[in-house]
Amino acid sequence: MKNKRLACMTLAAVLAACALSGCGSSSKSGGGKTGSDGAKLVTIWSPTDEPAIEEWWVEKINAFNEEHKGEIELKREAIVRADSYAYEDKINAAVTSNDLPDILFVDGPNISNYAADGIIVPIDSYFTEEDLSDFVESIKVQGTYDGKLYALGATESSVALYYNKDMTDAAGITMPDKMEDALTWSEFADIAGKLTTSDVAGTNIIMDKGEGLPYVLEQFWISNGTDFVSEDGSKADGYVNSEKGIEAANFLNSLIQNGYANIDPMKQEFHNGKCATMLGGSWEVATLEQSFPDLNWGVTYFPVADNGGINTSPTGDWAACITRNADEEAAGAVISYLMNKENVTSYAQAIAKLPTRASSYDTLTEYNEYPRSLFKEQSLNTGHPRPRTPGYTVLSPGFSEAMMNMFTGADVKESLDQLAADFDSNYQKNYAE
């Protein structure tokens, strides 16, 4: 692939492309450092997290360092995500100054951008074929670019349709309890309409007005037999704005225009009884159980397109990569350690998210019981990661802007056509052969 020019990025972009010719890789700030007793120093950057996860990191780093004393010393810098892009801004600065850490945790859809720009290196060789077969397919797909594995994570995510059981029972509505009976779009809209009142929205489809929109709503394109971009990630025209794509956008727009969903939902709208259904993440189970014990709720499968739509559900989470600045052998030992069965299982348990190893469910038996079993079923069978394309930095904010424009009255086709044109222009300028 030809050298990349610095892409024109907006504040909403998640990554900055780096010109390979201007960033050089001969100097290794991370890989060239040594720790105590002459050990190779391996540094990790990852976002700060809740106390249970911070404790997990301390425990695992201490255990690794004790086991590899005098050979490898592992250190982590926890970076506060003060706003949506503070973490990415720090990475961008490190790319420019050639001061990257050895191991970098990044959000799933950003992996392709880093891989395309030569910022991270393949990690295939640090996992056996048998080992990789234990990871769910979606996390491997998320971490793969141009046929090579660049990243793996310990947890996955999923989204399903939560519902207020008191409201559905009062309306005589029975929600599906089998994947093959998942609500169609028409059934979903009908239920949302029946449950909409002057005080309660029928549904909530806006997780947030940034990355939450493509993360959740892409599945409507996939269920309808298309996607945002081509399989190789090079083209949006004819995909996001295809006839099937326009159908998906029109359906979502109808939920807003008919008054079944709010364009500006209040915080925790479903949790506070202000909407009857919600497209929400698997992490909401723990929140509802712990903080809203009096709410009578259930969860059912992600809705499917009418006329034989594909069962699908969102996936994606943070994953570990090895940067070009690393001592790859030492970093490979660390990444293999972090993603072993024991550590994946304990991390998933601490953060209350789906594990990426199928064998972890032997220990995490809570996922054998509803409602967690539903998210496990989706993760193992219907999960689709966000598009693998270095152009995601344009696609994500562009899609969010297009959807919000539609929701406020812009023409659906024109909005999607503009998104497709912007994506294709950026890809051709910066990534085409």
PDB file of all heavy atoms in Angstrom, residues 280-312:
ATOM      1  N   GLY A 280     -30.250  -1.549  24.214  1.00  0.00           N
ATOM      2  CA  GLY A 280     -29.227  -1.291  25.220  1.00  0.00           C
ATOM      3  C   GLY A 280     -28.171  -2.370  25.262  1.00  0.00           C
ATOM      4  O   GLY A 280     -28.392  -3.510  24.828  1.00  0.00           O
ATOM      5  N   GLY A 281     -27.017  -2.030  25.808  1.00  0.00           N
ATOM      6  CA  GLY A 281     -25.888  -2.935  25.858  1.00  0.00           C
ATOM      7  C   GLY A 281     -25.994  -3.983  26.943  1.00  0.00           C
ATOM      8  O   GLY A 281     -26.748  -3.849  27.914  1.00  0.00           O
ATOM      9  N   SER A 282     -25.187  -5.024  26.796  1.00  0.00           N
ATOM     10  CA  SER A 282     -25.156  -6.110  27.759  1.00  0.00           C
ATOM     11  C   SER A 282     -24.764  -5.629  29.146  1.00  0.00           C
ATOM     12  O   SER A 282     -25.146  -6.226  30.157  1.00  0.00           O
ATOM     13  CB  SER A 282     -24.189  -7.198  27.285  1.00  0.00           C
ATOM     14  OG  SER A 282     -22.939  -6.637  26.894  1.00  0.00           O
ATOM     15  N   TRP A 283     -23.998  -4.556  29.219  1.00  0.00           N
ATOM     16  CA  TRP A 283     -23.555  -4.010  30.495  1.00  0.00           C
ATOM     17  C   TRP A 283     -24.712  -3.428  31.315  1.00  0.00           C
ATOM     18  O   TRP A 283     -24.591  -3.240  32.526  1.00  0.00           O
ATOM     19  CB  TRP A 283     -22.495  -2.945  30.267  1.00  0.00           C
ATOM     20  CG  TRP A 283     -22.934  -1.838  29.357  1.00  0.00           C
ATOM     21  CD1 TRP A 283     -23.567  -0.682  29.715  1.00  0.00           C
ATOM     22  CD2 TRP A 283     -22.786  -1.784  27.928  1.00  0.00           C
ATOM     23  NE1 TRP A 283     -23.829   0.091  28.605  1.00  0.00           N
ATOM     24  CE2 TRP A 283     -23.351  -0.567  27.492  1.00  0.00           C
ATOM     25  CE3 TRP A 283     -22.222  -2.651  26.989  1.00  0.00           C
ATOM     26  CZ2 TRP A 283     -23.387  -0.190  26.150  1.00  0.00           C
ATOM     27  CZ3 TRP A 283     -22.248  -2.273  25.644  1.00  0.00           C
ATOM     28  CH2 TRP A 283     -22.817  -1.069  25.233  1.00  0.00           C
ATOM     29  N   GLU A 284     -25.853  -3.153  30.650  1.00  0.00           N
ATOM     30  CA  GLU A 284     -26.989  -2.585  31.369  1.00  0.00           C
ATOM     31  C   GLU A 284     -27.615  -3.584  32.347  1.00  0.00           C
ATOM     32  O   GLU A 284     -28.322  -3.195  33.273  1.00  0.00           O
ATOM     33  CB  GLU A 284     -28.059  -2.102  30.388  1.00  0.00           C
ATOM     34  CG  GLU A 284     -27.633  -0.983  29.465  1.00  0.00           C
ATOM     35  CD  GLU A 284     -27.478   0.357  30.163  1.00  0.00           C
ATOM     36  OE1 GLU A 284     -27.597   0.419  31.410  1.00  0.00           O
ATOM     37  OE2 GLU A 284     -27.223   1.350  29.454  1.00  0.00           O
ATOM     38  N   VAL A 285     -27.376  -4.882  32.149  1.00  0.00           N
ATOM     39  CA  VAL A 285     -27.942  -5.884  33.051  1.00  0.00           C
ATOM     40  C   VAL A 285     -27.491  -5.621  34.478  1.00  0.00           C
ATOM     41  O   VAL A 285     -28.299  -5.549  35.413  1.00  0.00           O
ATOM     42  CB  VAL A 285     -27.569  -7.311  32.605  1.00  0.00           C
ATOM     43  CG1 VAL A 285     -27.988  -8.328  33.664  1.00  0.00           C
ATOM     44  CG2 VAL A 285     -28.217  -7.654  31.268  1.00  0.00           C
ATOM     45  N   ALA A 286     -26.190  -5.468  34.668  1.00  0.00           N
ATOM     46  CA  ALA A 286     -25.663  -5.222  36.008  1.00  0.00           C
ATOM     47  C   ALA A 286     -26.163  -3.895  36.566  1.00  0.00           C
ATOM     48  O   ALA A 286     -26.495  -3.792  37.756  1.00  0.00           O
ATOM     49  CB  ALA A 286     -24.135  -5.248  35.977  1.00  0.00           C
ATOM     50  N   THR A 287     -26.235  -2.870  35.712  1.00  0.00           N
ATOM     51  CA  THR A 287     -26.727  -1.561  36.165  1.00  0.00           C
ATOM     52  C   THR A 287     -28.162  -1.663  36.653  1.00  0.00           C
ATOM     53  O   THR A 287     -28.516  -1.143  37.723  1.00  0.00           O
ATOM     54  CB  THR A 287     -26.647  -0.538  35.023  1.00  0.00           C
ATOM     55  OG1 THR A 287     -25.291  -0.396  34.604  1.00  0.00           O
ATOM     56  CG2 THR A 287     -27.174   0.827  35.462  1.00  0.00           C
ATOM     57  N   LEU A 288     -29.014  -2.319  35.883  1.00  0.00           N
ATOM     58  CA  LEU A 288     -30.422  -2.456  36.263  1.00  0.00           C
ATOM     59  C   LEU A 288     -30.577  -3.289  37.532  1.00  0.00           C
ATOM     60  O   LEU A 288     -31.382  -2.957  38.415  1.00  0.00           O
ATOM     61  CB  LEU A 288     -31.211  -3.076  35.113  1.00  0.00           C
ATOM     62  CG  LEU A 288     -31.408  -2.169  33.895  1.00  0.00           C
ATOM     63  CD1 LEU A 288     -31.874  -2.968  32.690  1.00  0.00           C
ATOM     64  CD2 LEU A 288     -32.405  -1.056  34.212  1.00  0.00           C
ATOM     65  N   GLU A 289     -29.824  -4.352  37.632  1.00  0.00           N
ATOM     66  CA  GLU A 289     -29.917  -5.214  38.815  1.00  0.00           C
ATOM     67  C   GLU A 289     -29.471  -4.492  40.082  1.00  0.00           C
ATOM     68  O   GLU A 289     -30.108  -4.612  41.138  1.00  0.00           O
ATOM     69  CB  GLU A 289     -29.074  -6.468  38.608  1.00  0.00           C
ATOM     70  CG  GLU A 289     -29.644  -7.448  37.604  1.00  0.00           C
ATOM     71  CD  GLU A 289     -28.734  -8.644  37.362  1.00  0.00           C
ATOM     72  OE1 GLU A 289     -27.532  -8.559  37.701  1.00  0.00           O
ATOM     73  OE2 GLU A 289     -29.228  -9.662  36.847  1.00  0.00           O
ATOM     74  N   GLN A 290     -28.395  -3.736  39.971  1.00  0.00           N
ATOM     75  CA  GLN A 290     -27.797  -3.131  41.159  1.00  0.00           C
ATOM     76  C   GLN A 290     -28.433  -1.799  41.546  1.00  0.00           C
ATOM     77  O   GLN A 290     -28.595  -1.511  42.742  1.00  0.00           O
ATOM     78  CB  GLN A 290     -26.300  -2.939  40.931  1.00  0.00           C
ATOM     79  CG  GLN A 290     -25.532  -4.241  40.759  1.00  0.00           C
ATOM     80  CD  GLN A 290     -24.133  -4.034  40.213  1.00  0.00           C
ATOM     81  OE1 GLN A 290     -23.614  -2.921  40.176  1.00  0.00           O
ATOM     82  NE2 GLN A 290     -23.506  -5.123  39.757  1.00  0.00           N
ATOM     83  N   SER A 291     -28.783  -0.994  40.538  1.00  0.00           N
ATOM     84  CA  SER A 291     -29.228   0.376  40.829  1.00  0.00           C
ATOM     85  C   SER A 291     -30.718   0.610  40.650  1.00  0.00           C
ATOM     86  O   SER A 291     -31.245   1.626  41.112  1.00  0.00           O
ATOM     87  CB  SER A 291     -28.451   1.365  39.947  1.00  0.00           C
ATOM     88  OG  SER A 291     -27.062   1.244  40.157  1.00  0.00           O
ATOM     89  N   PHE A 292     -31.406  -0.317  39.984  1.00  0.00           N
ATOM     90  CA  PHE A 292     -32.846  -0.155  39.756  1.00  0.00           C
ATOM     91  C   PHE A 292     -33.579  -1.455  40.093  1.00  0.00           C
ATOM     92  O   PHE A 292     -34.259  -2.054  39.248  1.00  0.00           O
ATOM     93  CB  PHE A 292     -33.107   0.258  38.303  1.00  0.00           C
ATOM     94  CG  PHE A 292     -32.490   1.569  37.927  1.00  0.00           C
ATOM     95  CD1 PHE A 292     -31.171   1.640  37.481  1.00  0.00           C
ATOM     96  CD2 PHE A 292     -33.201   2.761  38.059  1.00  0.00           C
ATOM     97  CE1 PHE A 292     -30.579   2.850  37.155  1.00  0.00           C
ATOM     98  CE2 PHE A 292     -32.622   3.979  37.734  1.00  0.00           C
ATOM     99  CZ  PHE A 292     -31.308   4.025  37.280  1.00  0.00           C
ATOM    100  N   PRO A 293     -33.450  -1.906  41.335  1.00  0.00           N
ATOM    101  CA  PRO A 293     -33.992  -3.216  41.712  1.00  0.00           C
ATOM    102  C   PRO A 293     -35.508  -3.298  41.638  1.00  0.00           C
ATOM    103  O   PRO A 293     -36.059  -4.410  41.562  1.00  0.00           O
ATOM    104  CB  PRO A 293     -33.498  -3.398  43.151  1.00  0.00           C
ATOM    105  CG  PRO A 293     -33.277  -2.002  43.658  1.00  0.00           C
ATOM    106  CD  PRO A 293     -32.788  -1.231  42.479  1.00  0.00           C
ATOM    107  N   ASP A 294     -36.200  -2.180  41.662  1.00  0.00           N
ATOM    108  CA  ASP A 294     -37.661  -2.196  41.640  1.00  0.00           C
ATOM    109  C   ASP A 294     -38.249  -2.180  40.234  1.00  0.00           C
ATOM    110  O   ASP A 294     -39.462  -2.317  40.065  1.00  0.00           O
ATOM    111  CB  ASP A 294     -38.216  -1.000  42.435  1.00  0.00           C
ATOM    112  CG  ASP A 294     -37.822  -1.059  43.907  1.00  0.00           C
ATOM    113  OD1 ASP A 294     -37.695  -2.188  44.434  1.00  0.00           O
ATOM    114  OD2 ASP A 294     -37.624   0.012  44.509  1.00  0.00           O
ATOM    115  N   LEU A 295     -37.395  -1.998  39.221  1.00  0.00           N
ATOM    116  CA  LEU A 295     -37.895  -1.964  37.847  1.00  0.00           C
ATOM    117  C   LEU A 295     -38.132  -3.385  37.347  1.00  0.00           C
ATOM    118  O   LEU A 295     -37.264  -4.251  37.443  1.00  0.00           O
ATOM    119  CB  LEU A 295     -36.885  -1.256  36.940  1.00  0.00           C
ATOM    120  CG  LEU A 295     -37.342  -0.995  35.498  1.00  0.00           C
ATOM    121  CD1 LEU A 295     -38.476   0.015  35.463  1.00  0.00           C
ATOM    122  CD2 LEU A 295     -36.177  -0.496  34.637  1.00  0.00           C
ATOM    123  N   ASN A 296     -39.317  -3.630  36.826  1.00  0.00           N
ATOM    124  CA  ASN A 296     -39.689  -4.943  36.306  1.00  0.00           C
ATOM    125  C   ASN A 296     -39.393  -4.956  34.808  1.00  0.00           C
ATOM    126  O   ASN A 296     -40.122  -4.357  34.023  1.00  0.00           O
ATOM    127  CB  ASN A 296     -41.174  -5.212  36.571  1.00  0.00           C
ATOM    128  CG  ASN A 296     -41.590  -6.621  36.188  1.00  0.00           C
ATOM    129  OD1 ASN A 296     -40.755  -7.516  36.039  1.00  0.00           O
ATOM    130  ND2 ASN A 296     -42.884  -6.817  36.016  1.00  0.00           N
ATOM    131  N   TRP A 297     -38.310  -5.614  34.423  1.00  0.00           N
ATOM    132  CA  TRP A 297     -37.850  -5.528  33.041  1.00  0.00           C
ATOM    133  C   TRP A 297     -37.500  -6.902  32.492  1.00  0.00           C
ATOM    134  O   TRP A 297     -37.303  -7.871  33.223  1.00  0.00           O
ATOM    135  CB  TRP A 297     -36.635  -4.607  32.931  1.00  0.00           C
ATOM    136  CG  TRP A 297     -35.453  -5.057  33.746  1.00  0.00           C
ATOM    137  CD1 TRP A 297     -35.220  -4.801  35.070  1.00  0.00           C
ATOM    138  CD2 TRP A 297     -34.360  -5.877  33.313  1.00  0.00           C
ATOM    139  NE1 TRP A 297     -34.057  -5.391  35.491  1.00  0.00           N
ATOM    140  CE2 TRP A 297     -33.499  -6.067  34.429  1.00  0.00           C
ATOM    141  CE3 TRP A 297     -34.022  -6.462  32.096  1.00  0.00           C
ATOM    142  CZ2 TRP A 297     -32.324  -6.816  34.359  1.00  0.00           C
ATOM    143  CZ3 TRP A 297     -32.851  -7.214  32.020  1.00  0.00           C
ATOM    144  CH2 TRP A 297     -32.015  -7.382  33.136  1.00  0.00           C
ATOM    145  N   GLY A 298     -37.405  -6.954  31.165  1.00  0.00           N
ATOM    146  CA  GLY A 298     -36.943  -8.140  30.470  1.00  0.00           C
ATOM    147  C   GLY A 298     -36.116  -7.720  29.277  1.00  0.00           C
ATOM    148  O   GLY A 298     -35.937  -6.528  29.013  1.00  0.00           O
ATOM    149  N   VAL A 299     -35.591  -8.688  28.545  1.00  0.00           N
ATOM    150  CA  VAL A 299     -34.789  -8.379  27.364  1.00  0.00           C
ATOM    151  C   VAL A 299     -35.055  -9.434  26.303  1.00  0.00           C
ATOM    152  O   VAL A 299     -35.254 -10.614  26.615  1.00  0.00           O
ATOM    153  CB  VAL A 299     -33.282  -8.295  27.722  1.00  0.00           C
ATOM    154  CG1 VAL A 299     -32.742  -9.631  28.195  1.00  0.00           C
ATOM    155  CG2 VAL A 299     -32.471  -7.759  26.566  1.00  0.00           C
ATOM    156  N   THR A 300     -35.108  -8.993  25.056  1.00  0.00           N
ATOM    157  CA  THR A 300     -35.304  -9.903  23.940  1.00  0.00           C
ATOM    158  C   THR A 300     -34.307  -9.575  22.837  1.00  0.00           C
ATOM    159  O   THR A 300     -33.526  -8.633  22.948  1.00  0.00           O
ATOM    160  CB  THR A 300     -36.754  -9.844  23.421  1.00  0.00           C
ATOM    161  OG1 THR A 300     -36.967 -10.890  22.460  1.00  0.00           O
ATOM    162  CG2 THR A 300     -37.068  -8.499  22.772  1.00  0.00           C
ATOM    163  N   TYR A 301     -34.323 -10.346  21.794  1.00  0.00           N
ATOM    164  CA  TYR A 301     -33.276 -10.291  20.754  1.00  0.00           C
ATOM    165  C   TYR A 301     -33.335  -9.011  19.919  1.00  0.00           C
ATOM    166  O   TYR A 301     -34.381  -8.366  19.806  1.00  0.00           O
ATOM    167  CB  TYR A 301     -33.391 -11.515  19.849  1.00  0.00           C
ATOM    168  CG  TYR A 301     -33.230 -12.800  20.597  1.00  0.00           C
ATOM    169  CD1 TYR A 301     -34.348 -13.471  21.122  1.00  0.00           C
ATOM    170  CD2 TYR A 301     -31.970 -13.336  20.852  1.00  0.00           C
ATOM    171  CE1 TYR A 301     -34.210 -14.643  21.847  1.00  0.00           C
ATOM    172  CE2 TYR A 301     -31.816 -14.513  21.581  1.00  0.00           C
ATOM    173  CZ  TYR A 301     -32.943 -15.149  22.080  1.00  0.00           C
ATOM    174  OH  TYR A 301     -32.800 -16.301  22.814  1.00  0.00           O
ATOM    175  N   PHE A 302     -32.202  -8.687  19.312  1.00  0.00           N
ATOM    176  CA  PHE A 302     -32.122  -7.524  18.424  1.00  0.00           C
ATOM    177  C   PHE A 302     -33.100  -7.721  17.270  1.00  0.00           C
ATOM    178  O   PHE A 302     -33.156  -8.798  16.669  1.00  0.00           O
ATOM    179  CB  PHE A 302     -30.699  -7.377  17.886  1.00  0.00           C
ATOM    180  CG  PHE A 302     -30.370  -5.984  17.417  1.00  0.00           C
ATOM    181  CD1 PHE A 302     -29.698  -5.100  18.247  1.00  0.00           C
ATOM    182  CD2 PHE A 302     -30.738  -5.548  16.150  1.00  0.00           C
ATOM    183  CE1 PHE A 302     -29.387  -3.814  17.817  1.00  0.00           C
ATOM    184  CE2 PHE A 302     -30.443  -4.273  15.717  1.00  0.00           C
ATOM    185  CZ  PHE A 302     -29.761  -3.392  16.546  1.00  0.00           C
ATOM    186  N   PRO A 303     -33.906  -6.718  16.938  1.00  0.00           N
ATOM    187  CA  PRO A 303     -34.901  -6.855  15.862  1.00  0.00           C
ATOM    188  C   PRO A 303     -34.274  -7.168  14.508  1.00  0.00           C
ATOM    189  O   PRO A 303     -33.131  -6.783  14.234  1.00  0.00           O
ATOM    190  CB  PRO A 303     -35.581  -5.477  15.840  1.00  0.00           C
ATOM    191  CG  PRO A 303     -35.314  -4.892  17.192  1.00  0.00           C
ATOM    192  CD  PRO A 303     -33.961  -5.403  17.596  1.00  0.00           C
ATOM    193  N   VAL A 304     -35.034  -7.845  13.650  1.00  0.00           N
ATOM    194  CA  VAL A 304     -34.561  -8.222  12.317  1.00  0.00           C
ATOM    195  C   VAL A 304     -35.420  -7.558  11.249  1.00  0.00           C
ATOM    196  O   VAL A 304     -36.587  -7.231  11.491  1.00  0.00           O
ATOM    197  CB  VAL A 304     -34.572  -9.758  12.118  1.00  0.00           C
ATOM    198  CG1 VAL A 304     -33.705 -10.438  13.160  1.00  0.00           C
ATOM    199  CG2 VAL A 304     -35.998 -10.307  12.178  1.00  0.00           C
ATOM    200  N   ALA A 305     -34.858  -7.377  10.082  1.00  0.00           N
ATOM    201  CA  ALA A 305     -35.592  -6.786   8.960  1.00  0.00           C
ATOM    202  C   ALA A 305     -36.755  -7.683   8.558  1.00  0.00           C
ATOM    203  O   ALA A 305     -36.721  -8.900   8.747  1.00  0.00           O
ATOM    204  CB  ALA A 305     -34.654  -6.571   7.778  1.00  0.00           C
ATOM    205  N   ASP A 306     -37.778  -7.068   8.013  1.00  0.00           N
ATOM    206  CA  ASP A 306     -38.921  -7.830   7.503  1.00  0.00           C
ATOM    207  C   ASP A 306     -38.503  -8.691   6.312  1.00  0.00           C
ATOM    208  O   ASP A 306     -37.454  -8.472   5.695  1.00  0.00           O
ATOM    209  CB  ASP A 306     -40.029  -6.862   7.081  1.00  0.00           C
ATOM    210  CG  ASP A 306     -40.654  -6.141   8.260  1.00  0.00           C
ATOM    211  OD1 ASP A 306     -41.513  -6.722   8.931  1.00  0.00           O
ATOM    212  OD2 ASP A 306     -40.238  -4.978   8.522  1.00  0.00           O
ATOM    213  N   ASN A 307     -39.327  -9.667   6.021  1.00  0.00           N
ATOM    214  CA  ASN A 307     -39.140 -10.524   4.837  1.00  0.00           C
ATOM    215  C   ASN A 307     -37.802 -11.270   4.852  1.00  0.00           C
ATOM    216  O   ASN A 307     -37.013 -11.200   3.906  1.00  0.00           O
ATOM    217  CB  ASN A 307     -39.260  -9.680   3.554  1.00  0.00           C
ATOM    218  CG  ASN A 307     -40.596  -8.957   3.468  1.00  0.00           C
ATOM    219  OD1 ASN A 307     -41.640  -9.550   3.727  1.00  0.00           O
ATOM    220  ND2 ASN A 307     -40.555  -7.673   3.131  1.00  0.00           N
ATOM    221  N   GLY A 308     -37.571 -11.983   5.970  1.00  0.00           N
ATOM    222  CA  GLY A 308     -36.383 -12.834   6.027  1.00  0.00           C
ATOM    223  C   GLY A 308     -35.104 -12.138   6.385  1.00  0.00           C
ATOM    224  O   GLY A 308     -34.023 -12.531   5.918  1.00  0.00           O
ATOM    225  N   GLY A 309     -35.175 -11.118   7.227  1.00  0.00           N
ATOM    226  CA  GLY A 309     -33.972 -10.401   7.646  1.00  0.00           C
ATOM    227  C   GLY A 309     -32.994 -11.293   8.388  1.00  0.00           C
ATOM    228  O   GLY A 309     -33.346 -12.339   8.938  1.00  0.00           O
ATOM    229  N   ILE A 310     -31.742 -10.878   8.406  1.00  0.00           N
ATOM    230  CA  ILE A 310     -30.670 -11.641   9.029  1.00  0.00           C
ATOM    231  C   ILE A 310     -30.640 -11.352  10.531  1.00  0.00           C
ATOM    232  O   ILE A 310     -30.680 -10.193  10.948  1.00  0.00           O
ATOM    233  CB  ILE A 310     -29.319 -11.247   8.398  1.00  0.00           C
ATOM    234  CG1 ILE A 310     -29.322 -11.553   6.907  1.00  0.00           C
ATOM    235  CG2 ILE A 310     -28.160 -11.967   9.090  1.00  0.00           C
ATOM    236  CD1 ILE A 310     -28.188 -10.871   6.142  1.00  0.00           C
ATOM    237  N   ASN A 311     -30.567 -12.396  11.352  1.00  0.00           N
ATOM    238  CA  ASN A 311     -30.346 -12.195  12.790  1.00  0.00           C
ATOM    239  C   ASN A 311     -28.936 -11.654  13.005  1.00  0.00           C
ATOM    240  O   ASN A 311     -27.958 -12.250  12.552  1.00  0.00           O
ATOM    241  CB  ASN A 311     -30.500 -13.505  13.554  1.00  0.00           C
ATOM    242  CG  ASN A 311     -31.952 -13.908  13.741  1.00  0.00           C
ATOM    243  OD1 ASN A 311     -32.450 -14.790  13.058  1.00  0.00           O
ATOM    244  ND2 ASN A 311     -32.639 -13.252  14.652  1.00  0.00           N
ATOM    245  N   THR A 312     -28.833 -10.546  13.674  1.00  0.00           N
ATOM    246  CA  THR A 312     -27.545  -9.897  13.862  1.00  0.00           C
ATOM    247  C   THR A 312     -27.550  -9.117  15.163  1.00  0.00           C
ATOM    248  O   THR A 312     -28.620  -8.842  15.734  1.00  0.00           O
ATOM    249  CB  THR A 312     -27.223  -8.974  12.670  1.00  0.00           C
ATOM    250  OG1 THR A 312     -25.933  -8.399  12.832  1.00  0.00           O
ATOM    251  CG2 THR A 312     -28.250  -7.861  12.545  1.00  0.00           C
TER     252      THR A 312
END
